């Protein structure tokens, strides 16, 4: 079957680092995206990985291991505004399959 | 900053009625997408569109759905005979190119409620 799994909820403290994991099993793989979605709003693009390794973009980094079907999103220097859902999505032929999202709560 | 817009923000309809959801993609973008998100559930891909034809569609996008670019700016999703389970937030997205890595910009969504 096709699965994208991520933790349902995480909590972290302002200023800290948090890692959100995603594992996937899909028919075909053309890259993995991370999106941020605030409640009641549209998803916004954070990162894209298609090759193994780490992609860094400011406070956000994303890692991919294709052999393990595994990715993570790393958020550094957490801010209160980072409280949101983080969606892992895999691009496959004729599909862009999303995980259910990880709801991150940042506490003072 | 250019953005994708969608109208209406909320549409209420009776089961069996047809609805048309409208989107205006970013003006220089060529690739367009529709997604839906049932309340509390995952975002689901419906269809992608380029050069006036469907590029990809998921198993959800059955015969009751259709898409159209009726003019140079609008991109529409039509649901022919709505069902209760079509109630969801529908997001339109656009991207500048078709590369797999291309960032898709999402509109604010239309909340469809089928009674």
């Amino acid at each position: 079957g096709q699965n994208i799994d991520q933790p349902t909820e995480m909590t972290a403290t302002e200023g800290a680092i948090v890692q959100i994991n995603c594992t996937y099993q899909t028919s075909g793989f053309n890259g993995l995206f991370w999106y941020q979605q605030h409640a009641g709003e549209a998803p916004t693009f954070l990162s894209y990985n298609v090759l193994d390794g780490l992609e860094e973009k400011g406070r956000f980094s994303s890692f991919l291991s294709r052999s393990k079907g595994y990715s993570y999103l790393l958020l550094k220097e957490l801010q209160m505004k980072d409280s949101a859902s983080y969606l892992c999505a895999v691009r496959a032929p004729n599909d862009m399959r999303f995980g259910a999202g990880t709801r991150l709560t940042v506490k003072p | 900053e250019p953005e994708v817009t969608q109208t209406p923000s909320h549409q209420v309809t009776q089961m069996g009625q047809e609805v048309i959801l409208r989107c205006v993609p970013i003006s220089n973008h060529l690739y367009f997408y529709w997604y839906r998100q049932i309340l509390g559930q995952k975002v689901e891909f419906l269809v992608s569109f380029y050069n006036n034809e469907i590029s990809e569609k998921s198993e959800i996008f059955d015969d009751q759905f259709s898409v159209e670019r009726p003019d140079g700016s609008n991109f529409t999703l039509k649901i022919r005979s709505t069902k209760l389970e079509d109630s969801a937030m529908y997001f339109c997205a656009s991207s500048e190119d078709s590369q797999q890595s291309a960032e898709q910009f999402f509109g604010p969504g239309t909340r469809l409620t089928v009674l």
Side-chain angles (χ1 to χ4, degrees):
Chain A
Q2 302 202 68
N3 294 310
I4 298 181
D5 294 310
Q6 15 177 167
T8 306
E9 292 192 28
M10 297 183 74
T11 303
T13 305
E14 194 176 11
I17 299 173
V18 71
Q19 177 174 312
I20 303 174
N21 296 325
C22 171
T23 57
Y24 64 89
Q25 285 180 296
T26 55
S27 302
F29 179 84
N30 289 331
L32 187 143
F33 292 81
W34 284 95
Y35 285 86
Q36 181 190 61
Q37 186 177 28
H38 285 99
E41 297 183 13
T44 55
F45 171 87
L46 292 177
S47 70
Y48 172 77
N49 295 69
V50 67
L51 300 176
D52 289 354
L54 190 68
E55 295 279 342
E56 297 189 74
K57 208 174 177 183
R59 293 190 300 115
F60 295 76
S61 304
S62 56
F63 171 83
L64 175 68
S65 168
R66 288 170 298 170
S67 62
K68 294 186 171 132
Y70 168 70
S71 173
Y72 68 72
L73 179 70
L74 195 72
L75 293 79
K76 301 176 194 171
E77 299 168 20
L78 281 172
Q79 301 174 9
M80 299 299 289
K81 67 178 183 180
D82 296 330
S83 291
S85 286
Y86 291 85
L87 315 181
C88 172
V90 173
R91 188 97 189 242
N94 290 320
D95 205 359
M96 173 92 131
R97 195 165 284 265
F98 283 77
T102 297
R103 186 176 12 234
L104 174 67
T105 301
V106 180
K107 295 189 170 174
Chain B
E1 187 174 330
E3 58 184 17
V4 176
T5 58
Q6 291 184 241
T7 54
S9 57
H10 192 181
Q11 172 94 46
V12 181
T13 190
Q14 295 289 326
M15 191 170 59
Q17 295 296 305
E18 175 184 285
V19 293
I20 298 176
L21 309 183
R22 301 179 194 282
C23 168
V24 179
I26 294 173
S27 62
N28 64 330
H29 287 188
L30 299 175
Y31 297 85
F32 315 121
Y33 311 85
W34 282 103
Y35 295 86
R36 77 173 185 193
Q37 188 173 29
I38 295 169
L39 187 64
Q41 296 188 25
K42 302 177 186 183
V43 174
E44 298 173 295
F45 168 75
L46 295 177
V47 66
S48 62
F49 189 88
Y50 167 70
N51 200 27
N52 283 320
E53 58 184 31
I54 291 172
S55 307
E56 300 169 305
K57 60 180 182 177
S58 72
E59 60 217 13
I60 301 169
F61 194 87
D62 61 23
D63 290 345
Q64 71 156 350
F65 291 95
S66 61
V67 289
E68 196 178 30
R69 187 141 161 89
D71 53 44
S73 59
N74 288 286
F75 177 52
T76 62
L77 174 71
K78 182 193 288 187
I79 309 175
R80 277 185 243 292
S81 178
T82 50
K83 304 193 272 277
L84 294 177
E85 53 265 37
D86 293 327
S87 294
M89 182 74 92
Y90 287 81
F91 292 108
C92 172
S94 69
S95 65
E96 203 168 348
D97 60 50
S98 69
Q99 284 186 48
Q100 301 293 341
S101 61
E103 178 178 348
Q104 295 180 20
F105 292 81
F106 282 71
T110 293
R111 181 169 298 286
L112 176 66
T113 301
V114 182
L115 302 175

